[in-house]
Amino acid sequence: MALNIKPLSDRVLIEPIAAETKTASGIYIPDTAKEKPQKGTVVAVGNGTKEHNMTVKIGDSVLYGKYAGTELKLEGKDYLIMREDDILAII
C-alpha cells in the first residue's frame, strides 16, 4: 500500500524498526526500559535541493540519531520525518 505523503526538499520519511522486546539471554524488556529505535527503513524521499542531491532511496535501511526527526502517525503506523543530513549511515 502506497503512502499519500511526499517529503519536500531534502526530507526523508522513515519507518522505525520496532524496539527489541527480549534480550539475547531471554529476559523480557518492559516498555519503560526500551531504548528508542535508531534504525529504520526509508519509505519516501524528497527531490533534494540545488545544493543537495539525495543519497538515500526508498527501501534503504538506515541509522539515525536518537533524537533526530519529528514523529508522526500515518494510517495507524508510526513514522519519522527528518532531513537527510540527520541520517548517519545506510546499512
Side-chain angles (χ1 to χ4, degrees):
M1 178 171 71
L3 289 173
N4 290 331
I5 188 167
K6 175 69 175 163
L8 298 176
S9 182
D10 62 342
R11 289 180 177 74
V12 178
L13 186 70
I14 296 175
E15 183 177 358
I17 294 174
E20 294 291 325
T21 58
K22 190 166 65 167
T23 64
S25 60
I27 298 172
Y28 286 93
I29 303 170
D31 288 339
T32 55
K34 288 183 184 171
E35 286 288 321
K36 188 173 177 184
Q38 294 176 280
K39 189 180 194 182
T41 304
V42 176
V43 293
V45 178
N47 292 329
T49 63
K50 289 180 185 177
E51 299 84 29
H52 184 89
N53 292 326
M54 299 302 280
T55 306
V56 297
K57 57 187 180 304
I58 295 173
D60 283 348
S61 291
V62 294
L63 295 175
Y64 50 87
K66 186 178 271 190
Y67 302 106
T70 302
E71 296 177 356
L72 62 133
K73 193 174 215 85
L74 290 171
E75 300 172 3
K77 286 186 158 185
D78 292 325
Y79 295 97
L80 285 170
I81 191 161
M82 65 183 70
R83 291 189 177 276
E84 188 183 47
D85 291 343
D86 293 334
I87 295 174
L88 305 173
I90 299 172
I91 51 173

